Amino acid sequence: MSSSKTFASQADLEAKKVSFTKLSENAYAYTAEGDPNTGVIVGDDAVMVIDTQATPVMAQDVIRRIREVTDKPIKYVVLSHYHAVRVLGASGYEPEQIIASRDTFDLIVERGEQDKASEIGRFPRLFQAVESVPPGMTWPTITFSGRMSLWLGKLEVQLIQLGRGHTKGDTVAWLPEQKILFSGDLVEFDATPYAGDAYFSDWPQTLDNIAAMQPRALVPGRGAALTTPEQVAAGLKGTRDFIRDVYASVQAGVAAGQDLNAVYKATLSQLKPKYGHWVIFDHCMPFDVTRAFDEATAYRDPRIWTAERDVEMWKALEG
Ligand SMILES: [Zn+2]
């Protein structure tokens, strides 16, 4: 890194404490104090993992937890979206199938390589033993559009696209009989939503679509598992409020003719009192405001982040 100002995340080096929380006879949440979560579904004849951790070596810790509760084979890996920190551990599970939405597949084709380089550069701590990641991309072996069901024996798991939000391809996993939902990064809890590849105008409606399913428990992308309907509602509200507050502030700045730098400073100072205590707040805000500014001006779809664009943006806003 030639820049004198590094990303906020590059100074974030403290290891987090992992929890493996049982939500039902079939559902578990692997969470780590705001680091990326992994969902686990144990069916009659197989195990499904939802989001993989960032590297195959990190996946081994998830497998260790799974082996404490079942010896059934891990057949399925579901990618809730394309971000490297969610997918690059996939090979560690040696799954039979890797499942993602067609929209997520398209994003891997379009921007997977750039995203991988950019994410590893932004947040080295999250890519423990990064040398264990195989070269190239993690390719889904099954894609779907809209909705699909898998039966792990008698247990139905639905994979559903409820709308755009964190990315174009967001997929939730849903246990309809138990009303347990794995949201990926569509919902965060006590953690700042990353919105650098987001659709701000669509995200609140997608959260309303989750709420309409009335989950009794929800595993967010980051933060503790939400184990009661009240906690689920709080997680949905916190995420929705943050996305709306960022976008409202950016839209107001754009309407007043301000440039990105001015909009960033105003939005940061407006949001810090309410959300500044959430993990990765300082890391996410420059990316989130830049994307919101793009969406409010010229770019309906998120522009591709590259390692170079990351550094330029950071220098412009934080340098
Ligand atoms: Zn993500």
Side-chain angles (χ1 to χ4, degrees):
M1 193 71 44
S2 57
S3 167
S4 57
K5 281 269 185 182
T6 55
F7 303 120
S9 51
Q10 289 178 333
D12 178 348
L13 296 170
E14 200 182 326
K16 307 287 176 122
K17 185 176 172 295
V18 169
S19 302
F20 194 60
T21 308
K22 183 173 183 173
L23 303 173
S24 74
E25 283 306 308
N26 305 101
Y28 296 83
Y30 180 99
T31 66
E33 300 182 324
D35 274 0
N37 293 340
T38 290
V40 174
I41 298 175
V42 180
D44 298 329
D45 57 354
V47 177
M48 174 186 283
V49 166
I50 301 140
D51 292 335
T52 72
Q53 299 292 303
T55 68
V57 163
M58 294 172 76
Q60 297 313 309
D61 192 54
V62 180
I63 294 171
R64 187 177 66 77
R65 302 290 184 140
I66 292 171
R67 289 294 167 245
E68 286 173 3
V69 297
T70 181
D71 57 6
K72 291 168 188 167
I74 301 168
K75 284 193 184 169
Y76 304 105
V77 162
V78 172
L79 309 178
S80 69
H81 61 290
Y82 74 97
H83 283 148
V85 76
R86 304 282 166 186
V87 313
L88 295 185
S91 65
Y93 302 92
E94 302 178 12
E96 287 181 13
Q97 305 291 350
I98 298 176
I99 308 169
S101 67
R102 178 74 206 197
D103 290 320
T104 288
F105 177 87
D106 291 345
L107 286 165
I108 297 171
V109 171
E110 180 193 57
R111 57 183 68 194
E113 287 286 359
Q114 292 100 322
D115 176 75
K116 182 179 179 180
S118 142
E119 284 195 56
I120 292 170
R122 283 181 196 179
F123 223 135
R125 181 179 61 76
L126 293 183
F127 292 86
Q128 202 188 103
V130 71
E131 67 284 354
S132 64
V133 174
M137 297 289 91
T138 301
W139 293 110
T141 56
I142 296 175
T143 63
F144 70 98
S145 292
R147 179 186 289 263
M148 73 177 286
S149 285
L150 276 100
W151 277 265
L152 309 183
K154 291 201 184 81
L155 183 73
E156 182 182 7
V157 183
Q158 295 179 355
L159 305 179
I160 314 171
Q161 290 182 276
L162 291 164
R164 296 172 168 185
H166 178 68
T167 71
K168 180 175 78 173
D170 295 333
T171 296
V172 304
W174 173 240
L175 294 175
E177 284 178 16
Q178 301 175 8
K179 299 185 90 64
I180 297 173
L181 190 129
F182 300 80
S183 70
D185 282 325
L186 276 171
V187 182
E188 312 291 19
F189 187 67
D190 274 345
T192 310
Y194 170 75
D197 303 301
Y199 290 80
F200 279 86
S201 346
D202 297 13
W203 197 335
Q205 179 61 54
T206 304
L207 293 171
D208 290 346
N209 296 344
I210 291 176
M213 296 166 75
Q214 300 185 301
R216 75 155 184 84
L218 185 150
V219 181
R222 291 170 177 271
L226 308 172
T227 57
T228 66
E230 293 72 28
Q231 287 180 2
V232 172
L236 290 168
K237 180 177 181 341
T239 306
R240 194 191 291 109
D241 285 355
F242 175 85
I243 293 302
R244 283 201 177 133
D245 286 352
V246 171
Y247 204 41
S249 170
V250 170
Q251 284 181 307
V254 166
Q258 292 172 351
D259 66 9
L260 173 60
N261 219 297
V263 168
Y264 176 63
K265 287 188 168 59
T267 304
L268 189 65
S269 66
Q270 198 189 321
L271 270 76
K272 195 144 195 158
K274 192 169 169 189
Y275 306 105
H277 62 289
W278 282 357
V279 298
I280 62 170
F281 178 82
D282 292 324
H283 167 68
C284 288
M285 284 303 287
F287 297 101
D288 290 7
V289 172
T290 300
R291 168 55 194 151
F293 189 88
D294 272 3
E295 186 171 334
T297 53
Y299 300 90
R300 165 69 187 150
D301 292 304
R303 285 190 284 158
I304 297 174
W305 290 102
T306 62
E308 296 72 32
R309 186 175 168 229
D310 283 6
V311 173
E312 275 168 32
M313 179 281 291
W314 200 266
K315 271 190 203 159
L317 296 185
E318 293 280 337

